[in-house]
Amino acid sequence: MKLLPRSRTSGLLKALMLGIFLLTVSTLQAQDLPLTGKVTAPGGMPLIGVNVLIEGTSRGAATDVNGNFKLSAPAGATLKFTFVGYLPKEIKVSGNTTLNVTMEEDVQKLNDVVVVGYGTQKKATLTGAITTVDMVDKQGQPLTNISNALQGVPGVFANLSNSQPGVDRSTIRIRGVGTMNNSNPLVLVDGIEYSMDELNPNDIESVTVLKDAAAAIYGSRAANGVLLVTTKKGRGTSRVNYSYYYGIQKPTYLPDIIDDPIAYMRLKNQANINEGKAPEYAEDDIAEYQQGMATDPFTYPANNWYDIALKNGVIKKHDLSVSGSTDKYQYRLSIGYLNRDGVLFGPGNHENKYSLGLNASMNVNERLKVGVTLDGYYRDYTEPFYTNVWQYLSRALPILTDTLQDGRYGNSWLRTLGRNNWENPRMIAYNGLYKKVVQRFLATVFAEYKLPFDITYNIKFGVDKYDGLLSGFTPRMQTFNPKTGAAINWNSPATAPRSTKEDWNNMNIHFYNTLNWQHQFARMHNLSVMLGASYDNFDEDNWATSMYGYLDGTLDAFDAGTVWNATSGNYTRDVLESYFGRLNYDYDGKYLLELSFRSDGSSRFAPEKRWGFFPAASAGWRVDKENFFQSNFFNLLKLRVSAGRMGNQAVALYSYDPTVRLGQDYSFGGTLNSGAAVLDYADPTIHWETTTTYNAGVDVNFWENRMAFTVDAYKRRTTDILRPVNIAAQVGNLGGPKRNVGTVDNTGLEVTLQYRNNIGQLDYSFNGNVSYNKNEVVDLQGEIIYGSGTITKAGLPMESFYVLEAEGIFQTEDEVARHAKQSANTKPGYIKFRDQNNDGIINGDDRVVVNASSMFPKVTYGFGLNLGWKGISLNAAFQGITGVKVLPTANLAYPFNNGANATWEWATDAWTPENRDARLPILTTSTGAIDNFQRSTFWIRDNSYLRMKNIQLGYALPDNWLSKVKISKLSVFVNAQNLLTFSKYKDFDPEAILDQTTVYRYPMLKTFNGGLNVTF
C-alpha cells in the first residue's frame, strides 16, 4: 500500500477532527431539552389532562393527576397548552427546563351576549328561560328552511310533516299548545316581524327562543313564545366565503302495498266473500290475467305504483358572501341559490330559490351610527294541478295500466267497485301544473345616536313586501281501456281545459324606537332602563280568477280562453300600536332583577276593547359569587324565577262586527231577487286572550366548566281563549260568534346537559335535553268540543282521542250472540267493542277517552355528540318524541277503501278460522264492513320515535397547506339526514303522520349530501 506524505496525513487528520467537532457542536445545539412542568388554574389547583403540544409537530404530552408533565423539545420551540374551559396558552422553550404554567379560565361563554327583546344581555346575568341555536353548528346540513333547524331544541317542538319542495317548513310549538287559535310563535328578524322561512339559512347567525316571561316584552303576540332571528354581520378582515353542497334524497317510509295483481284480486274477492257478497273478479278474468302477464304487460300489468312514481330527488345549494369590518364600519353581502328536484315524477315537483342578503353599518361620528339590512328571496316552485296527487297514488292498483303502447294513459279493463273513473297517477302528475312565484323582501334602515347622560336613542324602520302569483292550468284528461281502447273523461270537458290565477300583494310596515340608559353606581350597582314605542301596519290585497273555454291544452294564457268563470278579491288592514319598557338591575353581578311592561292596542278588537297591558318580572341569584360559597368544583350556580303575562290577538279581522254577505238571494213576489244577509252572530265584547307564565330554573356549570346543567320548571295558563262558540239553530239559524271562553294549562319540565373534554388532541362533547309537557283543558264553561275521533273538554288534554274501546276479536258465533249488539253484520273475526254503559248496544255512548293528545307529544328530547381530532370532525344529532298517538284512516291505513289497494299485512296477519291469534281482524273492505273500521283503540298507534336527524363527517385542511395557495380556510364534509329512525309505527313515517288522519302525503326524505366551504 502506498503511504501518503506525512504533511498531507497531518492535514487530513486536522480536517477530520475539525469536522467531528463541528458535527458534535451542531448535534448538541439541535438536541432536545428535557422539560418538566406543572399546569394549574388561577387558584393553584392542578389541572388534569391539559394537552401540551410542540407547535408544528404531532409530539406532545398530557398532564397527570397532579398537573405535572414531562416532555423533550428543542430550544426555541413553542409549546401550546390547551384545556377545555380555559384559554389556550403558548410558551417558548428557552434555557429554563422547569415550567410552571397558569391557565386563565375561559369566561367568554359567560360574557357572551344573548339577543333578547330590543337588545342584548350577558348570559351570566340572564334571568329568563332562553335558548340560543347557533347556526354555525348547522353548517353543511341540507336545511331548506330555518324552522327545520329547531328540531331537538329544549322546550321547542318542531314537526316537519311535509317534505314537498317549496312548502317543506316545520310547525313550531313552544312549551305546548294553549289556544284554539293560531299557535305559531312570533318571529322577528333583526327586530322586525318576518317569516323565518323566507330567509337563507346561510345568512343566519343565531335563533334565540324566548320561552317564559322574557317574551312578555312583545306582549300581545308573545303568548306562543318568540323566536328572535339574528342575521350575520361582517367581522374582522375582508374575506370572501363560498360554500356548496350536492345531495340525493329518498323517501324514508312508504306503505307496503300489494303489487301482485293476482294476489290483489284474490284478496279483494276474499274480502267481499267475508262480507257475504259475491266475488268482484271472475275466476275466468283472473286466469286470463295471469296468462296475459307473460306476454302483454300493457293490458295485464303488474305495477307497483310507488316504484313507478318515485325517483331519487336532487338538492343543490350555492352560497357566496363578502364581509369585513373595521372600527368605522362593517358589511356583509351575500347571494344564494337553492335548486331542488323532488322524488315525485313529473314537472310538478321542483323548486328554485334565489336569495340576497345585506347587513351594513357605519359609524358616522363618535355619536351616530347608521345602517341598513336587506333580506330577500325570489323563489318559485311547482306542483301538480290536482294537488291531492298523493291521494290518487295511494289509490292506484297493480291492475292499473300505466300507458298504452302508443303512449296514451291507461286505466283497467277489469270492473272494480269504487273506480268508475280511474285516477292514473302519471297522467295527473304530468298534465296540469301549478306554479307559484314569490318575491319577498325585508328592508330596514336603522340609526343609533348617543345622547348626553349615557342615553342611547335607537330607531328602526322596516318594510316587508310580499308578492305572490299562483298560476294553474289543466288540460282535458282522458284514460283509455287497454283492451278495448274506449276513452273515459277523467275531468269534465265542461271545466277543462281551464286556467286559474291567484295574486297576493302584501305590504307590512314596521317602525320602532327606543331610549336606553345604563349606569354603574358605586362600582357594585348596575342599572339599565329601556323605553320604547312601535307601530306595525299590515296591508293584504289579493284576488283570484279563472277562465274556461280553451281549444286544447296548447295555450294557457287567459286570452286563449273564451269563458270567464269567476273573480274574487279582498283587501284588509291590520294595525298594532305599542308602548313598552324594561328595567334591569344587578348588584355586583350577584343579585339580578328584571321588570318589563308592554301596552298594545289592536285594530282586531272594538275601540273600547283594543288595549291590553302585559307586565313581567324575573329575578336571579348568582350563588357562586357569595363569600360563603367557596368551591373549586362549581364555576356557576344561578337560580332564576320569572312571571309574566302575554296576549294573543289571533282572531279574524272584524270578528267583533256583524258581517253582511252578498249572494243571499230571496224570493219576493214570486221572483228570485239578489240580496245580502248577516249569517254569523258577532260578539262586540271580545278582547285579548291572555297567557300567564311562571318559570323557576337553575343553571350550573361545574368541573372546570366541563359540564353545564340547566333545569326549568314552568306553568302556562291561557285564559279568555278566543274561539267559535256554537249557538242553537233556533236563534236565527246563525253561525256562532267568536268569544272569550276557555282556560288551558300547560305544565312542564325541561332539563339540559352539556359535557365537553379532550383526550390529548381528541376533543369531544355531548349534549342532551328532555322536555315534559302536560296539557290540560281547565274550563270551557261546560261545552264539549267533538272532533273526528277526538274530544276537547275540561280535565283532558286538548283533542284527546275519543273512541270505542276494543277488547279483542270475536272468535265464535256464540261469542257474538252473547255480546252487546254491534250490528247485524257482526261475525267471528270482527273487532269486539266494550259495552261501557251496559245497555246491550254498542254506539257512540260507549266511547272512552284515551288520555293522549293527537296533536302534541308529552315528551320531546334530543341529544348529540361531537368529536374533533387534527382537523377531522364527526357530529351527530338525534331527536325524538314520546307520549303521543295517531289514528290514520282511509286509503292504505284501512284495506280496500272505496276501491283502493291494501297492504301486504292483510295477506298474512288477518283473522281466519285457522288463524285465531291474528293481529288484524278478518279481511273485509273498509267501506263494505264499517264495523271493523270504526274509530277505536284497536287502530290507535303509538307514534313515539327516535331519529338520527343528522350525522356529518368533515375535514378542515391544515393551515400550512392552505397558506401556499392563499386560502384562509377550506373544509369538506359529507352528511346524512334522517338516516336512522326507531319507532313501533311502521306503516308510514312517524314524524310525517303526527296530527294527521291519512297516510297519503309527501313522504319524509333521507338526504345524503356532500360539499365544501372555502374562505379566501
Side-chain angles (χ1 to χ4, degrees):
M1 180 178 64
K2 184 175 181 180
L3 299 177
L4 292 171
R6 184 181 179 96
S7 59
R8 292 185 63 190
T9 302
S10 176
L12 287 173
L13 182 60
K14 291 177 180 178
L16 179 61
M17 292 178 66
L18 178 61
I20 293 173
F21 172 77
L22 294 175
L23 180 62
T24 302
V25 172
S26 175
T27 302
L28 288 172
Q29 288 179 337
Q31 185 176 3
D32 288 350
L33 299 177
L35 304 175
T36 59
K38 185 173 185 176
V39 184
T40 60
M45 184 181 67
L47 295 178
I48 308 168
V50 176
N51 187 34
V52 186
L53 183 68
I54 303 173
E55 188 177 37
T57 74
S58 59
R59 295 164 55 195
T63 58
D64 59 19
V65 292
N66 298 312
N68 297 322
F69 70 92
K70 293 181 179 180
L71 184 66
S72 295
T78 299
L79 300 183
K80 298 183 70 173
F81 295 80
T82 56
F83 189 58
V84 174
Y86 288 81
L87 297 171
K89 192 161 190 173
E90 295 184 0
I91 293 179
K92 195 166 185 177
V93 177
S94 59
N96 187 5
T97 59
T98 302
L99 303 175
N100 290 310
V101 181
T102 300
M103 298 191 71
E104 297 297 325
E105 188 174 350
D106 184 4
V107 295
Q108 179 64 36
K109 291 299 180 183
L110 290 179
N111 289 332
D112 279 353
V113 294
V114 175
V115 177
V116 295
Y118 302 102
T120 59
Q121 291 182 15
K122 289 184 178 180
K123 282 185 179 180
T125 58
L126 279 177
T127 53
I130 294 176
T131 299
T132 298
V133 179
D134 193 339
M135 290 301 292
V136 72
D137 299 329
K138 308 292 182 178
Q139 191 170 6
Q141 296 184 18
L143 297 173
T144 55
N145 291 296
I146 299 297
S147 59
N148 301 337
L150 300 182
Q151 294 181 326
V153 174
V156 178
F157 175 54
N159 174 236
L160 178 63
S161 61
N162 187 351
S163 294
Q164 178 182 334
V167 295
D168 55 332
R169 51 196 61 183
S170 294
T171 299
I172 306 296
R173 298 289 179 262
I174 298 176
R175 290 186 167 181
V177 177
T179 181
M180 299 168 193
N181 289 303
N182 187 339
S183 297
N184 295 328
L186 172 67
V187 179
L188 298 116
V189 178
D190 292 331
I192 299 293
E193 183 174 351
Y194 193 66
S195 169
M196 65 192 310
D197 290 315
E198 298 290 1
L199 297 168
N200 182 356
N202 200 58
D203 289 339
I204 305 306
E205 183 174 285
S206 65
V207 180
T208 300
V209 186
L210 309 183
K211 297 180 285 188
D212 67 343
I217 193 68
Y218 293 106
S220 64
R221 295 169 295 168
N224 301 315
V226 178
L227 300 174
L228 303 179
V229 181
T230 304
T231 59
K232 291 179 180 178
K233 300 176 177 63
R235 290 188 175 92
T237 57
S238 297
R239 64 187 64 189
V240 177
N241 179 266
Y242 170 74
S243 61
Y244 167 77
Y245 66 73
Y246 175 92
I248 299 295
Q249 297 186 307
K250 300 180 178 182
T252 52
Y253 284 72
L254 291 173
D256 185 21
I257 60 172
I258 297 173
D259 54 2
D260 181 335
I262 307 305
Y264 159 76
M265 287 188 281
R266 294 201 180 281
L267 283 169
K268 184 68 177 296
N269 281 350
Q270 186 61 53
N272 285 334
I273 292 170
N274 291 341
E275 293 174 24
K277 302 174 182 175
E280 191 161 321
Y281 301 104
E283 283 297 324
D284 289 345
D285 289 338
I286 296 176
E288 176 190 341
Y289 203 104
Q290 190 166 17
Q291 183 177 1
M293 288 170 60
T295 57
D296 185 359
F298 295 97
T299 308
Y300 308 96
N303 285 331
N304 183 317
W305 275 95
Y306 281 102
D307 287 347
I308 294 172
L310 300 182
K311 57 184 175 60
N312 287 343
V314 174
I315 180 170
K316 296 177 284 188
K317 194 169 193 296
H318 302 262
D319 284 290
L320 179 67
S321 67
V322 182
S323 63
S325 69
T326 68
D327 58 349
K328 296 290 186 181
Y329 59 83
Q330 73 82 22
Y331 66 92
R332 184 179 185 272
L333 175 65
S334 67
I335 56 174
Y337 172 63
L338 172 71
N339 177 273
R340 288 186 65 192
D341 190 31
V343 297
L344 179 69
F345 62 2
N349 194 35
H350 198 80
E351 175 187 23
N352 289 293
K353 285 184 177 181
Y354 306 86
S355 68
L356 176 66
L358 172 65
N359 192 323
S361 63
M362 180 179 65
N363 297 322
V364 179
N365 52 45
E366 293 183 355
R367 290 186 176 274
L368 178 62
K369 176 182 179 180
V370 297
V372 61
T373 66
L374 177 66
D375 297 286
Y377 257 142
Y378 175 92
R379 60 185 178 89
D380 63 73
Y381 66 91
T382 59
E383 57 183 333
F385 185 88
Y386 295 97
T387 55
N388 47 358
V389 61
W390 291 97
Q391 179 180 354
Y392 300 141
L393 185 59
S394 71
R395 293 179 54 76
L397 301 177
I399 60 173
L400 171 63
T401 295
D402 185 357
T403 60
L404 278 59
Q405 284 180 295
D406 58 8
R408 291 178 298 168
Y409 298 107
N411 49 51
S412 178
W413 58 273
L414 288 165
R415 172 68 177 165
T416 300
L417 293 178
R419 307 307 296 272
N420 293 327
N421 196 350
W422 289 86
E423 306 103 343
N424 184 302
R426 183 184 295 276
M427 175 187 67
I428 297 168
Y430 278 90
N431 292 268
L433 190 70
Y434 269 123
K435 181 176 182 179
K436 187 167 186 180
V437 178
V438 173
Q439 300 177 83
R440 188 167 189 179
F441 290 87
L442 174 63
T444 67
V445 291
F446 61 90
E448 177 183 297
Y449 189 77
K450 295 180 180 179
L451 297 168
F453 309 108
D454 299 322
I455 299 175
T456 302
Y457 175 63
N458 292 277
I459 184 170
K460 179 172 283 191
F461 179 79
V463 177
D464 168 15
K465 186 65 174 72
Y466 176 94
D467 293 291
L469 179 63
L470 178 66
S471 302
F473 183 82
T474 179
R476 182 181 177 186
M477 298 186 196
Q478 291 181 313
T479 62
F480 296 86
N481 188 308
K483 181 181 285 189
T484 67
I488 298 177
N489 292 320
W490 188 76
N491 51 10
S492 171
T495 59
R498 72 176 180 272
S499 181
T500 66
K501 285 189 184 295
E502 295 182 53
D503 185 76
W504 295 265
N505 294 277
N506 302 339
M507 172 78 82
N508 304 325
I509 296 175
H510 308 275
F511 173 75
Y512 77 78
N513 52 113
T514 61
L515 286 171
N516 294 270
W517 176 74
Q518 56 184 8
H519 194 74
Q520 186 178 71
F521 302 90
R523 302 179 61 183
M524 294 291 186
H525 304 273
N526 300 288
L527 181 67
S528 65
V529 179
M530 182 271 292
L531 293 172
S534 67
Y535 174 85
D536 301 277
N537 185 98
F538 304 88
D539 288 330
E540 296 187 6
D541 188 1
N542 62 78
W543 60 267
T545 188
S546 59
M547 183 72 75
Y548 293 169
Y550 289 82
L551 180 63
D552 54 27
T554 304
L555 298 176
D556 60 3
F558 264 49
D559 283 350
T562 58
V563 180
W564 168 80
N565 179 42
T567 299
S568 62
N570 191 32
Y571 171 80
T572 61
R573 185 185 182 205
D574 183 17
V575 176
L576 185 72
E577 185 177 343
S578 309
Y579 303 92
F580 49 88
R582 179 174 56 223
L583 180 147
N584 289 89
Y585 168 78
D586 77 77
Y587 174 76
D588 196 25
K590 186 188 304 183
Y591 307 117
L592 315 170
L593 176 67
E594 179 176 304
L595 303 173
S596 71
F597 78 91
R598 186 175 182 112
S599 181
D600 282 324
S602 172
S603 63
R604 290 177 181 262
F605 303 111
E608 63 275 12
K609 298 291 183 179
R610 282 180 177 167
W611 287 92
F613 184 72
F614 308 99
S618 61
W621 179 23
R622 284 286 301 273
V623 182
D624 59 291
K625 284 183 170 288
E626 296 287 0
N627 292 330
F628 66 79
F629 190 87
Q630 296 295 323
S631 172
N632 290 325
F633 183 69
F634 287 94
N635 307 101
L636 169 71
L637 176 57
K638 179 170 63 174
L639 305 181
R640 297 176 283 104
V641 293
S642 69
R645 189 167 66 203
M646 293 155 281
N648 191 339
Q649 58 160 347
V651 64
L653 292 171
Y654 320 119
S655 294
Y656 62 88
D657 263 344
T659 302
V660 178
R661 300 182 185 274
L662 300 176
Q664 307 304 310
D665 299 339
Y666 67 101
S667 177
F668 183 76
T671 304
L672 190 64
N673 298 271
S674 61
V678 173
L679 301 182
D680 300 298
Y681 181 75
D683 182 357
T685 68
I686 58 173
H687 53 272
W688 295 98
E689 177 181 302
T690 303
T691 295
T692 305
T693 180
Y694 306 92
N695 192 92
V698 57
D699 302 321
V700 185
N701 286 11
F702 55 94
W703 197 7
E704 301 301 335
N705 281 315
R706 288 189 183 96
M707 298 195 73
F709 183 67
T710 299
V711 179
D712 279 286
Y714 65 87
K715 181 173 182 177
R716 297 173 60 225
R717 167 159 287 193
T718 304
T719 57
D720 291 338
I721 293 175
L722 288 161
R723 65 180 184 86
V725 176
N726 295 326
I727 59 175
Q730 290 90 336
V731 187
N733 199 29
L734 295 176
K738 302 289 192 309
R739 280 183 172 163
N740 293 98
V741 177
T743 301
V744 173
D745 279 354
N746 283 276
T747 307
L749 183 70
E750 298 167 8
V751 180
T752 302
L753 177 67
Q754 295 177 319
Y755 174 75
R756 58 177 186 163
N757 208 338
N758 69 285
I759 302 174
Q761 296 183 63
L762 175 65
D763 296 318
Y764 61 95
S765 66
F766 171 83
N767 64 84
N769 70 81
V770 60
S771 303
Y772 167 79
N773 181 272
K774 178 185 177 182
N775 177 272
E776 181 182 356
V777 177
V778 178
D779 179 39
L780 288 177
Q781 295 187 5
E783 186 177 358
I784 299 175
I785 303 173
Y786 296 99
S788 181
T790 64
I791 186 173
T792 298
K793 64 179 290 189
L796 300 175
M798 294 173 62
E799 294 192 21
S800 296
F801 285 108
Y802 189 52
V803 295
L804 297 174
E805 181 183 4
E807 51 180 359
I809 296 176
F810 287 113
Q811 300 296 327
T812 64
E813 291 284 1
D814 181 62
E815 189 178 358
V816 173
R818 288 185 287 107
H819 192 267
K821 183 178 180 181
Q822 296 186 179
S823 78
N825 298 322
T826 308
K827 64 177 66 175
Y830 276 38
I831 298 172
K832 184 197 305 183
F833 303 117
R834 186 180 298 277
D835 184 10
Q836 302 290 341
N837 57 6
N838 296 314
D839 65 353
I841 300 174
I842 301 299
N843 56 26
D845 295 336
D846 295 300
R847 288 174 293 180
V848 297
V849 174
V850 178
N851 192 10
S853 174
S854 63
M855 59 190 297
F856 193 89
K858 291 181 179 178
V859 177
T860 61
Y861 60 94
F863 58 90
L865 175 68
N866 304 295
L867 302 174
W869 180 75
K870 294 185 177 181
I872 301 173
S873 61
L874 178 65
N875 309 303
F878 294 80
Q879 176 257 339
I881 65 173
T882 189
V884 65
K885 298 182 184 296
V886 293
L887 204 171
T889 62
N891 300 337
L892 299 183
Y894 294 159
F896 306 124
N897 181 66
N898 192 32
N901 202 347
T903 52
W904 275 111
E905 62 183 350
W906 288 96
T908 56
D909 297 348
W911 186 93
T912 66
E914 298 76 32
N915 184 23
R916 293 176 179 265
D917 296 327
R919 182 174 61 85
L920 298 173
I922 190 171
L923 176 64
T924 61
T925 67
S926 61
T927 43
I930 60 174
D931 287 17
N932 274 341
F933 302 99
Q934 296 189 71
R935 287 177 171 81
S936 72
T937 57
F938 192 93
W939 300 111
I940 290 178
R941 299 288 183 258
D942 183 354
N943 202 45
S944 304
Y945 69 84
L946 169 63
R947 166 162 280 166
M948 177 186 280
K949 289 304 301 181
N950 195 82
I951 183 169
Q952 182 181 101
L953 178 64
Y955 178 61
L957 277 65
D959 292 343
N960 57 344
W961 294 6
L962 300 177
S963 62
K964 298 176 181 178
V965 290
K966 306 301 182 183
I967 294 177
S968 298
K969 294 180 181 179
L970 174 61
S971 60
V972 293
F973 56 86
V974 290
N975 260 307
Q977 192 177 70
N978 298 332
L979 180 62
L980 300 173
T981 303
F982 307 92
S983 177
K984 294 180 181 179
Y985 184 74
K986 303 295 184 182
D987 297 338
F988 202 66
D989 192 286
E991 183 177 353
I993 196 66
L994 184 66
D995 199 26
Q996 306 294 329
T997 59
T998 65
V999 297
Y1000 35 92
R1001 57 198 332 96
Y1002 206 104
M1004 296 291 289
L1005 301 176
K1006 293 180 181 179
T1007 303
F1008 305 90
N1009 71 296
L1012 59 84
N1013 192 311
V1014 58
T1015 301
F1016 300 93

